[in-house]
Each structure stands twice: as structure tokens, then as C-alpha cells.
Amino acid sequence: MTAPRSNTVHSTESVVTPVTDFRRDPRGFLSFLYAEAVRRAQPLHTLGAYLPAPPQGRTVVIGAGKAGAAMAQAVEALWPADAPLSGLVVTRYGHIPPRPQGLAQRIEVTEAAHPVPDAAGMQAAERILASVQGLTANDLVLCLISGGGSALLTLPADGLTLEDKQAINRALLESGANIAEMNCVRKHLSRIKGGRLAAACAPAQVVTLTISDVPGDDPAIIASGPTVPDETTCADALAILRRYRIEVPAAVLADLERGALETPKPDDAVFTGQQVHLMATPAQSLAAAAEAARAVGLQAHILSDEMEGESREVGRVHAALARSVAKHGAPFARPCVILSGGETTVTVRPRAAGVPKGRGGRAGEFCMGLAQALQGQADVWALAADTDGIDGVEDNAGAFVTPDTLQRADAVGLPVAQALDRNDAYGYFDSIGDLFVTGPTHTNVNDFRAILIL
């Protein structure tokens, strides 16, 4: 394995350095656009506009997600110093940002595992559920929700163990199911998701502040909507489990079949008067990146913030568009940058005996599909990365694609087709120093993709 190239991005600090000369430093410029997208989604920049006035009674802060700790700090910074404030938020291991000097901690933050839940997440969910018992109509619950909350806030339905939930989660992650399908199942196999947490808060006022990481920005899908009514049904969850051949215990299967695990629906009285606010969305972050590109004289085109599908195939579609622009100046004139977001999926391929399991996430898989279909096209550079700073379960946010990606990988004996067969995006881009490593960004508006065509 070769040593990483010297211009591989290795820290959040290097990501946020403004690089605006896109011809001289394409990688640096793409990193700059990513940083602008992430900056737009930072809780401290967005949360204040949605905070309600302190209530007559208590204010209890609860929440879960990769941005949970940053959101809690933003509430602590913006909430009146003389107004009571307490609560508990759970975030992913390693996702607590440094505490600003002089900011008093009034909200407890705990850590748990993602994307497969662990005992710490279950304990946090139990404590959060207990913390909202006995509230009155004079009390306020601020619920801070961001992507990743579904795994972090795990409380298995009756008849399921934590080990069962872990196995089901792994199977969902490897099945190719989209986020709406996965979270439909998670909601119906939980005692806290799919609006059940809101029911536990009654009769207190509930204000949910959320950062969207899902196509379409549906709050009922973000983190499996713990405080939002659920329109999906047990029958929907059952159909998804059967579609992807995911096994669940017989007793739970029977409960789904007879509708015993149904979630609270939109007409439930517990949701009367509740508020849900989208603090940050993928579209807003893509718009921030486009604005930054246009500010330096580069045309920017946003394809969509809702793209879904198999990651490698989405990469190939983007490559076809980029090649058309590079070779024919259509449908966009060059130079330009093409931006997109959403949440693609990775179906883990079967492996032959003795072949090690690949590493990587959907951003890296997208980049392999993109590089393969670009075929070394001159003057095309790309970056795909998750805005939370973590692609799958690895330490990189994503990867770069350059005009010589395939050539350099072939030179170290790793053809892209071989890496795709093993879903080994991490190994592929690590071998040529093209991993994009930022560390946790403390927010999450999902996939960010930028293709620069000079």
C-alpha cells in the first residue's frame, strides 16, 4: 500500500482553508466547497431562529444524532442564562465538539455506537424516556434530532433483545434498502421511535428541532421520527422485511402481522400543538456551496438534493453527464461545478471464500463507480463525502477522483473493478492517497458531491 499523497486532506482545519483558485488547486477548491456546505449546517448558525420562549415550568432537552452534542451546546449558548435548563442528549462516539470557553454545561451528553446500536445507546434511550415522565402542560421539551439518531436511540420492542436489533440493523445496512425503508422497520421494532417519545412527553409542549439527512426532508424519517407521527404501518414494515429477506424472531413477526406494534398516527391527540422545525437541510448546504463557487466566477449547477439509488450506479450516471460537459460543452458550459446530494445505498456483494471483506461507505462507492465510468477523462475532478465527516464506519468522509485515478490505482495493482467486487472503496482510495479525511463535523445533512469540469 502506498503512502498517502501529500495533498490528501487530513483534518477539519485543512478543509476549512479557503481555496478559491479552482484551476490551480482543484482538490483544494472542492474541499472549500464541502466546507461551505458543512458550515451552513452548523447548529450554532441556525438553531437560534427556532428557539421558543422559556415556559412557566421546566425545560427538558432531549435528543439523539451525530449533531446532537453541537446542537446541545448551541441551546446552552442561546438559552437565557437565568432560565432553568436540563436534559440528556446522545451522540456518536467521538462526536462531542470542544466546549467553547466560558460556556456552562447544563445538558448532559452521552455517547453510543453508530450505525449498529450498542448497550450504551439502549441505556441512553431508557434514561431519555424516563426523563420526560411526569411532565405537565406548563413544561417544555426541546427535542434535538439529527441523522444517526435512529441507531443511537435504540429501545427494542417487547420480544426483541439488543442482539436481535443489532442483527436486524446489520442486515438492513447491507441489504440495499433505502433510508425510508430502513427507518420504517426501525420505528415498528422500537419502544421510543415513530412518535412514541412524543407520546411519553404528554401533556408537555414538545418542540422538535431537526437537521435533515434524508431525501425529501421528512421529519418522520429523520432518526426514525421519535417525536413525529408515523404514517407507515406494521404491514409496511413486514413487507420490507420480506422484500429484503431479513429475519426477525417469530413472536415479533406475529406481532407485526396482527398490528400489535403499530405507531402513533397523525390524528393522535398527543401531537396537538406540537412544533417541528427543520434547522438545516441538504438543499441549503448545496446552495451555500453553489453560492461560494459563483462568487469566484464559476458556474454552479445543482442536480438534486434527493438522489437515491445504488451508489456505484449513481456515480456512473454522474460520469456520463461530466463526460458530456467535458467533451461537448453540453448540457452545461465549461468550466463549471456540478453539485448533488441525497442518500445513496450500497448493496454488499457476496465474497468468495478467503476473500477479505471490503471497507468503505456510499461516498467511496460512488467515487469508484464515477472513476470507472469517467475512464480517465481529462479535466474532470470530483469529491464525494458525507457531511458528518464519516463515510460508513471508517475514519474518512469520502474520497477524491482525479483524471489519473484509474492509472495510479492500476500502478499499485488494484484495478477498480476488483475493488468494486469487494465493496472496498476505503482500500482503493487509501492505496493512492485519495481519501478525504476531516474528522467529525458535528452536523449531518448527508451526501455531498461536487464534480469540477475545467
Side-chain angles (χ1 to χ4, degrees):
M1 185 172 291
T2 61
R5 289 160 57 119
S6 60
N7 56 358
T8 296
V9 177
H10 282 285
S11 70
T12 302
E13 288 75 22
S14 59
V15 169
V16 299
T17 302
V19 176
T20 57
D21 189 340
F22 53 87
R23 292 188 184 277
R24 181 182 62 83
D25 186 1
R27 286 175 181 243
F29 180 71
L30 291 169
S31 301
F32 163 65
L33 295 185
Y34 172 88
E36 288 298 295
V38 168
R39 185 177 65 84
R40 173 59 183 82
Q42 288 298 328
L44 191 59
H45 297 165
T46 59
L47 186 143
Y50 303 105
L51 278 180
Q56 292 181 350
R58 299 171 55 199
T59 299
V60 178
V61 180
I62 57 175
K66 297 174 189 175
M71 295 172 82
Q73 287 186 6
V75 172
E76 290 169 333
L78 298 169
W79 198 251
D82 59 351
L85 187 70
S86 63
L88 173 64
V89 170
V90 58
T91 193
R92 180 177 174 162
Y93 292 121
H95 282 245
I96 300 177
R99 178 162 290 275
Q101 187 174 3
L103 180 63
Q105 182 165 1
R106 296 189 277 174
I107 303 166
E108 181 184 353
V109 178
T110 189
E111 296 174 301
H114 178 278
V116 178
D118 67 356
M122 190 164 75
Q123 183 183 47
E126 289 171 339
R127 290 182 60 200
I128 286 172
L129 199 59
S131 73
V132 298
Q133 302 301 310
L135 297 178
T136 72
N138 291 327
D139 298 323
L140 169 67
V141 175
L142 290 178
C143 189
L144 311 179
I145 295 296
S146 58
S150 198
L152 295 165
L153 200 66
T154 189
L155 203 55
D158 292 338
L160 280 176
T161 66
L162 175 60
E163 291 73 20
D164 292 330
K165 286 296 291 284
Q166 289 171 330
I168 294 166
N169 237 46
R170 290 190 186 97
L172 284 168
L173 290 167
E174 296 185 357
S175 69
N178 65 36
I179 189 62
E181 292 172 321
M182 287 194 284
N183 284 358
C184 172
V185 171
R186 288 164 169 165
K187 283 187 277 193
H188 287 88
L189 301 185
S190 171
R191 288 186 284 125
I192 197 168
K193 301 182 180 78
R196 292 185 177 94
L197 182 55
C201 294
Q205 179 191 8
V206 178
V207 176
T208 300
L209 306 178
T210 185
I211 295 176
S212 173
D213 72 325
V214 302
D217 304 328
D218 184 351
I221 299 177
I222 303 166
S224 298
T227 56
V228 180
D230 178 34
E231 294 186 349
T232 69
T233 65
C234 285
D236 295 328
L238 193 59
I240 292 164
L241 290 168
R242 287 172 172 161
R243 182 179 309 139
Y244 295 103
R245 300 179 181 179
I246 296 171
E247 295 184 359
V248 298
V252 173
L253 188 66
D255 284 343
L256 286 171
E257 288 174 338
R258 62 189 179 90
L261 299 178
E262 203 50 88
T263 48
K265 302 307 175 194
D267 59 355
D268 196 307
V270 301
F271 301 111
T272 302
Q274 294 198 15
Q275 300 176 38
V276 179
H277 300 292
L278 285 167
M279 291 170 39
T281 68
Q284 292 168 348
S285 285
L286 290 175
E291 182 179 354
R294 292 166 187 149
V296 298
L298 183 67
Q299 289 297 310
H301 307 282
I302 300 174
L303 299 183
S304 173
D305 68 313
E306 298 187 34
M307 287 196 167
E308 298 181 85
E310 194 69 25
S311 294
R312 64 180 69 189
E313 300 303 330
V314 176
R316 289 168 181 147
V317 171
H318 279 65
L321 177 59
R323 282 172 60 84
S324 178
V325 173
K327 295 167 70 175
H328 308 297
F332 308 127
R334 54 190 294 194
C336 69
V337 64
I338 298 171
L339 302 166
S340 71
E343 182 163 1
T344 58
T345 54
V346 174
T347 302
V348 177
R349 267 53 178 179
R351 303 188 313 279
V355 176
K357 183 177 182 179
R359 301 166 62 192
R362 60 181 182 264
E365 185 108 349
F366 168 91
C367 286
M368 288 196 294
L370 177 73
Q372 185 182 50
L374 281 174
Q375 304 171 32
Q377 177 65 52
D379 300 324
V380 177
W381 303 71
L383 169 64
D386 199 311
T387 52
D388 65 3
I390 304 295
D391 186 23
V393 297
E394 305 301 337
D395 60 2
N396 67 313
F400 291 101
V401 173
T402 72
D404 61 349
T405 290
L406 298 181
Q407 179 183 353
R408 289 185 289 113
D410 287 346
V412 297
L414 190 54
V416 69
Q418 182 183 108
L420 276 165
D421 284 344
R422 295 199 302 114
N423 300 106
D424 191 25
Y426 190 95
Y428 184 79
F429 289 105
D430 186 39
S431 74
I432 54 176
D434 283 353
L435 292 177
F436 180 63
V437 182
T438 67
T441 65
H442 312 298
T443 190
N444 183 18
V445 287
N446 233 319
D447 299 345
F448 172 88
R449 295 179 287 268
I451 301 177
L452 176 64
I453 307 162
L454 300 177

